[in-house]
Amino acid sequence: MAETTFQFAPISPVNGYHDDNYWLWCPSITQGPDGTWHLFVSRWPKTLPFHPGWLVASEVIRATSDRPEGPYEFAEVVLAKRGAQYWDGRSTHNPSIRCHDGKYYLYYMGSTHPLEEADHTLTTQSAQCIVARSMKRIGVAWADRPEGPWTRMDQPILTTQPNSFYSFLTSNPAPHIHSNGEVTLLFKAREYEGNTHGSMSIGIAKADSPLGTYQVVKDTPIFSTDLFGEIEDPFLWMESDGFHMIAKDMSGELSGQAGAGIHAQSPDAQSWTLSNPTTAYKRTIEYNDGTSRDVGSLERPFLHIENGQSKFLAAAVSNGTINFTDATKSWIHVIPLMNT
């Protein structure tokens, strides 16, 4: 059975990936056939505000290292802008890499809008942001190697449905590809409430293959403000006793700290139980110089699992004191886990 609480090993301050010219978020890692480690991450220019700059200007890049902890060096832009006429033409975000049967699948959120480029005055009430938020959808690209080339689809794999809990948007894909190629996918959703959107919830979809047709399998979410509480950024995996999930606790009511991680379990990915203890990790990072830091954000968790054991947690980090709202820098840490 999986550990429900992760113990972080001390790390170097330069661990992971840093770039002072960009906001960085949404990490996932994989090891290529030649032993090189590949980090897929979202970035957008610091000429835009952190939030909501990602909605209108994020792109997915790849960085490499000879060690899973890094430090990583920039390699290339993987999912760039490609025009407002595409569903993912103006922003790509939330990358989550998986390897199955010799192919690499990069799940992500894409969005578009038909308006002018945003600048530093962008707010959540700017027209670009309002349109882009409502256009968020989940897609997948694929390649034979982590280095690409990557094939992008002209349609998302999970769109919205009127009169449903995901009528406004779908995003934050959390896939598990089974040994037979079938996919169980958790996703973040919002529904329309009048002309705007409601609170976040988590839904489940399934497909016969990574590039297959995805169908939402429950008419109700598996997590919501009314069911367990509001969470975000799920990461899904499977062990001998069923499905496991870690996710961001939005309010702190489940973990005791807003933005900390929670752990939950399920036999079928549809009916979930909070683990005991529920808290998977707090926002405290230990460094190898003997110092520790409560970071403003430790989000978009991604577990690297080897031989059934969780070895590393990759996460987006900010130096804010109130979530990322007052952050001046964000970066990626890849943290070894001591209790696995």
Side-chain angles (χ1 to χ4, degrees):
M1 180 176 135
E3 294 283 349
T4 63
T5 301
F6 297 129
Q7 184 178 357
F8 294 162
I11 60 173
S12 164
V14 298
N15 164 292
Y17 183 57
H18 301 251
D19 188 332
D20 289 338
N21 295 315
Y22 290 90
W23 300 108
L24 303 173
W25 216 244
C26 309
S28 62
I29 60 173
T30 191
Q31 189 175 27
D34 65 353
T36 300
W37 289 87
H38 301 265
L39 168 71
F40 294 84
V41 62
S42 301
R43 76 174 189 183
W44 58 105
K46 294 190 75 174
T47 53
L48 296 176
F50 177 96
H51 178 66
W54 60 274
L55 262 175
V56 299
S58 180
E59 61 185 3
V60 174
I61 67 163
R62 181 175 61 87
T64 59
S65 175
D66 59 0
R67 303 172 65 245
E69 304 99 316
Y72 285 81
E73 295 185 0
F74 173 81
E76 65 172 342
V77 177
V78 176
L79 301 177
K81 295 180 181 180
R82 58 173 180 164
Q85 70 271 32
Y86 290 95
W87 70 273
D88 60 351
R90 300 299 290 271
S91 181
T92 55
H93 201 62
N94 298 148
S96 193
I97 188 72
R98 298 293 187 278
C99 181
H100 174 73
D101 199 23
K103 289 189 179 293
Y104 292 84
Y105 298 94
L106 186 61
Y107 291 79
Y108 65 101
M109 180 280 292
S111 184
T112 191
H113 67 81
L115 305 169
E116 67 275 6
E117 294 283 350
D119 60 24
H120 68 280
T121 64
L122 183 75
T123 72
T124 56
Q125 298 306 306
S126 298
Q128 298 100 322
C129 178
I130 292 172
V131 175
R133 187 186 295 276
S134 70
M135 297 299 292
K136 291 169 64 178
R137 305 290 186 268
I138 290 174
V140 64
W142 69 95
D144 292 328
R145 327 165 45 237
E147 298 90 345
W150 292 88
T151 300
R152 292 166 72 168
M153 301 173 70
D154 290 342
Q155 298 294 331
I157 60 170
L158 193 63
T159 187
T160 55
Q161 179 68 35
N163 300 315
S164 73
F165 69 91
Y166 55 102
S167 59
F168 188 80
L169 62 79
T170 64
S171 68
N172 299 53
H176 173 75
I177 304 178
H178 300 260
S179 59
N180 64 358
E182 294 179 357
V183 182
T184 300
L185 179 74
L186 302 188
F187 65 96
K188 185 176 87 172
R190 293 187 190 268
E191 66 178 306
Y192 264 103
E193 292 184 357
N195 292 328
T196 184
H197 59 80
S199 59
M200 292 187 294
S201 61
I202 305 297
I204 176 175
K206 291 189 176 183
D208 291 335
S209 67
L211 302 180
T213 300
Y214 285 76
Q215 299 286 343
V216 177
V217 297
K218 289 190 70 174
D219 293 333
T220 57
I222 58 173
F223 276 78
S224 67
T225 53
D226 297 326
L227 183 63
F228 299 111
E230 192 174 43
I231 64 169
E232 190 182 25
D233 299 341
F235 179 90
L236 178 70
W237 76 102
M238 197 172 189
E239 299 197 3
S240 59
D241 60 345
F243 289 93
H244 294 258
M245 174 181 64
I246 54 174
K248 175 188 173 184
D249 179 6
M250 295 298 292
S251 67
E253 293 181 4
L254 301 177
S255 66
Q257 183 188 57
I262 64 103
H263 183 277
Q265 298 168 268
S266 172
D268 56 8
Q270 298 186 45
S271 302
W272 289 85
T273 301
L274 295 174
S275 302
N276 185 18
T278 301
T279 304
Y281 54 86
K282 295 292 186 76
R283 292 186 285 103
T284 302
I285 296 176
E286 305 285 340
Y287 292 101
N288 56 14
D289 61 2
T291 64
S292 64
R293 179 178 186 175
D294 285 341
V295 293
S297 303
L298 191 66
E299 303 190 19
R300 294 293 300 154
F302 179 96
L303 285 178
H304 176 73
I305 300 171
E306 296 179 6
N307 300 318
Q309 296 292 319
S310 301
K311 295 296 186 180
F312 298 93
L313 178 81
V317 181
S318 84
N319 66 348
T321 58
I322 310 169
N323 206 334
F324 49 69
T325 56
D326 61 344
T328 60
K329 178 181 171 69
S330 66
W331 63 97
I332 305 302
H333 274 325
V334 181
I335 308 171
L337 301 175
M338 297 174 62
N339 52 336
T340 58

